[in-house]
């Protein structure tokens, strides 16, 4: 479990609190809400007092709800635009979804992306693209939340070092982080 926390957790923390400046009572649209980073974003945003809307595919709905989204938008069947305005979009997808999401950011809100520089910007808000940075204090906060049971990691699979190449060249999309076990 510890191996899945640093990158996903720090990415979520920095996107929400450092770059997104999330405040209590704000609304957050999280793309990929059932994934490794998305599930962390959902949990941290909920704990911070935000209203959380998650997106994903039909098969992701229950996992996203289990991690704490209050609404789920199926990107294959539902209209993203029906979400309405939000204070913060946390984008892990990019492309057309990111462009459409920029239009949903309320005045003064923020589009945070880890999918590359935003191609579209909110009309009256910020667009931020960032790369996670190591931060001991933030990692300590995350670790404490895991110990307290307030945060759980999303592990899709644990494989041996011999299986690592196959694990990172999957035939289907993983639903969480893949952990490589180096010792038997």
């Amino acid at each position: 479990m510890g191996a899945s926390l640093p990158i996903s957790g720090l990415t979520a923390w920095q996107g929400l609190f450092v770059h997104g400046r999330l405040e209590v009572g704000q609304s957050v649209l999280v793309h990929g809400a059932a994934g490794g980073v998305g599930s962390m974003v959902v949990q941290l945003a909920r704990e911070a007092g935000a209203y959380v809307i998650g997106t994903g595919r039909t098969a992701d709905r229950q996992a996203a709800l289990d991690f704490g989204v209050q609404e789920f938008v199926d990107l294959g069947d539902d209209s993203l635009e029906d979400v309405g305005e939000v204070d913060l979009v946390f984008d892990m997808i990019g492309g057309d979804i990111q462009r459409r999401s920029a239009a949903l950011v309320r005045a003064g809100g923020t589009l945070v992306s880890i999918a590359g520089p935003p191609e579209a910007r909110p009309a009256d808000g910020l667009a931020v693209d960032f790369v996670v940075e190591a931060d001991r204090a933030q990692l300590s906060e995350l670790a404490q939340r895991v110990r307290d049971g307030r945060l759980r990691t999303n592990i899709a699979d644990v494989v041996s070092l011999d299986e690592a190449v196959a694990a990172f060249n999957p035939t289907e999309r993983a639903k969480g982080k893949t952990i490589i076990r180096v010792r038997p």
Side-chain angles (χ1 to χ4, degrees):
M1 178 173 21
S4 66
L5 181 64
I7 298 299
S8 296
L10 288 173
T11 300
W13 185 281
Q14 291 170 17
L16 286 171
F17 305 120
V18 176
H19 302 290
R21 301 175 321 280
L22 182 66
E23 296 178 11
V24 172
Q26 288 187 321
S27 54
V28 180
L29 176 61
V30 183
H31 291 303
V37 174
S39 61
M40 293 279 180
V41 173
V42 168
Q43 293 172 87
L44 290 171
R46 279 296 301 269
E47 184 187 38
Y51 183 81
V52 182
I53 304 160
T55 73
R57 297 180 174 124
T58 303
D60 300 326
R61 179 182 301 275
Q62 192 57 54
L65 291 168
D66 291 347
F67 280 113
V69 301
Q70 288 145 297
E71 283 182 52
F72 183 82
V73 177
D74 182 331
L75 291 175
D77 294 332
D78 301 330
S79 172
L80 179 60
E81 288 70 21
D82 286 348
V83 165
E85 290 188 330
V86 295
D87 297 294
L88 175 64
V89 172
F90 202 120
D91 177 47
M92 287 154 271
I93 300 174
D96 182 56
I97 295 296
Q98 184 185 81
R99 283 190 293 280
R100 292 167 55 202
S101 296
L104 301 176
V105 176
R106 138 178 322 124
T110 307
L111 169 75
V112 174
S113 173
I114 61 169
E119 297 176 22
R121 299 188 173 281
D124 190 19
L126 297 173
V128 178
D129 169 44
F130 79 101
V131 175
V132 69
E133 296 179 9
D135 187 297
R136 184 182 299 246
Q138 293 169 1
L139 192 54
S140 292
E141 287 287 335
L142 292 163
Q144 187 60 51
R145 282 168 171 75
V146 170
R147 281 192 294 277
D148 293 348
R150 294 180 286 156
L151 182 67
R152 60 189 167 100
T153 59
N154 186 358
I155 299 171
D157 205 4
V158 178
V159 300
S160 70
L161 188 56
D162 293 340
E163 301 167 305
V165 172
F168 287 108
N169 292 300
T171 56
E172 60 185 51
R173 188 171 132 282
K175 295 177 181 171
K177 290 295 175 189
T178 298
I179 305 299
I180 306 301
R181 186 180 56 249
V182 246
R183 294 188 183 144

